[in-house]
Amino acid sequence: MCSTNNSRTSYTFNDIAQNTKKGLARFPSSNYEVAEDYAKNNAHAILLRSHKLQESEIDISVRAIARCGAGTNNVPVARMTELGIPVFNTPGANANAVKELVLCGLFLGSRRLVDGINHMKKLGEEGLQKERVEKDKAMFGGREIMGKTLAIIGMGHIGAATAREASALGMETVGYDPGLSIESALKLPRQIQIMDSISSAVAKADYISLNIPYIKGEGGTHGIIGKDVISHMKDDAVLLNFARGELVDSEAMKEFLDRGNGRYISDFPDDLLWDHKNSIILPHLGASTEEAEETAAAMAADTIQSYLEHGTIQNSVNFPSAALPERQKGSIRITVVNKNVPGMLAFVSDVFAKHNINILQQINTSRGDVAYNVIDIDPVVSGGDADINLKDLQKELTLHEGVLSSRLLFGMAGAGYARNIDGDYFV
């Protein structure tokens, strides 16, 4: 909580405040303070882009964390779940920026543009550029993308947008995504052919675009583009990886590049492929546009604001989605985060019943090991005019075994947050 005790404080890493002023301006200054000096503020929320967040940087007052981007590998998500802190991302905010970089990769993989640029610089240093400009062009011949086939692995925001643009450029498209949503499917070009495996998708492709998340562990996506998948690729296929470097088995890809005329284009560093003649490794530029940064910051700000003010959860990577209609005038909204174990919902309901408190509306949802409750109550005790002692009620709710935290969304902005830390009460 900030020192004035009448507003909510959001802390930003990665110079988000400077780079995305329009996005962060969505926090009204009357209720929010956007701070850059974390040491001097007990933040209610953290917004970050690429900073690798450590648990030691997360103050006990933090209610939520938002990543201005899709991936959350730089946030200790599992630990935040254990602590009852939702982690949000901004899916789709950088989709257009990444899509445009994928299209750029298509052209980089079709013509040896980078080699040609470097060659002309060398000739310029030797004073031979005018003499050789026509003679040497045959060294950098290429092919056109019209009529070629693009395989899209993962058809979410970025994949669907890439499919539409590729189709508009005259390319054939095939795709694979076992988790394809109805929303994304409706955004795909009508001509796209949906395949039943990655191998079957790449077998037909002249170009392959990876647009899937990186997931560690058994059944994850680490090295998913390995020897088996690569063995189905055409010898001159171009692999575009603007998703995550770890998705590709570098050794298998190097063998592929060594034996043919295939190409690898990526904006992730790679110790084996960075200087290969058939690869182009760029800085991580996918979301590095002014527009994408502004959109992501605005989306993160809206998500954090909705959670802090209304208890609404959307675009969380570790909490269930939850939203109640706007609370009735004069009612009090309470949120409870607890471990997803039997008996918790009954306990919460019993506490209100014991104190003759009428529940006006509520929602209980769960995801994995965590459950989330949003409850609107009538502030007048049933059968009388006595006021509710909110402090005592919140303490009773929060200190129950299995409850991680609670919030009262009523009264002073930023107040009303409590945590159960190994049986000790923090408020």
Side-chain angles (χ1 to χ4, degrees), residues 35 41 45 97 146 179 182 246 259 267 305 330 340 395 402 410 425:
N41 294 277
M146 180 178 286
I182 295 176
E246 296 90 344
R259 67 172 179 261
D267 65 342
Q305 191 172 340
N340 188 18
K395 187 173 183 179
F410 178 81
Y425 189 58

Side-chain angles (χ1 to χ4, degrees), residues 345-382:
L345 179 59
F347 160 74
V348 172
S349 299
D350 287 346
V351 169
F352 293 113
K354 181 174 66 175
H355 293 282
N356 296 319
I357 296 171
N358 183 36
I359 295 177
L360 301 175
Q361 60 177 347
Q362 73 179 114
I363 185 173
N364 169 267
T365 57
S366 63
R367 180 175 179 178
D369 295 329
V370 70
Y372 182 63
N373 308 267
V374 185
I375 307 144
D376 287 356
I377 62 171
D378 189 333
V380 179
V381 173
S382 178

Side-chain angles (χ1 to χ4, degrees), residues 15-27:
D15 294 328
I16 290 178
Q18 287 78 13
N19 297 340
T20 56
K21 292 181 180 179
K22 292 181 182 178
L24 294 180
R26 299 172 85 95
F27 286 119

Side-chain angles (χ1 to χ4, degrees), residues 4 55 73 75 82 93 110 135 193 202 209 213 221 311 324 367:
T4 58
E55 184 179 348
N73 295 37
V75 179
E82 293 175 355
S110 301
K135 294 180 181 179
Q193 184 179 1
V202 304
S209 177
T221 56
L324 271 186
R367 180 175 179 178

Side-chain angles (χ1 to χ4, degrees), residues 42 115 160 213 427:
N42 295 322
D115 292 340
V427 64

Side-chain angles (χ1 to χ4, degrees), residues 30-84:
S30 59
N31 286 332
Y32 289 86
E33 176 186 351
V34 178
E36 301 170 56
D37 190 345
Y38 186 71
K40 295 180 181 179
N41 294 277
N42 295 322
H44 295 178
I46 294 175
L47 280 74
L48 74 164
R49 182 170 292 106
S50 57
H51 174 79
K52 190 169 181 61
L53 189 63
Q54 306 297 323
E55 184 179 348
S56 59
E57 297 174 311
I58 303 168
D59 196 85
I60 198 170
S61 61
V62 171
R63 284 94 155 139
I65 298 168
R67 158 83 162 93
C68 296
T72 53
N73 295 37
N74 56 325
V75 179
V77 175
R79 180 56 179 156
M80 293 305 96
T81 305
E82 293 175 355
L83 296 176

Side-chain angles (χ1 to χ4, degrees), residues 383-401:
D385 297 325
D387 291 330
I388 299 171
N389 189 320
L390 291 177
K391 291 183 178 180
D392 291 345
L393 178 69
Q394 184 175 25
K395 187 173 183 179
E396 182 177 354
L397 281 169
T398 308
L399 282 181
H400 184 74
E401 185 178 356

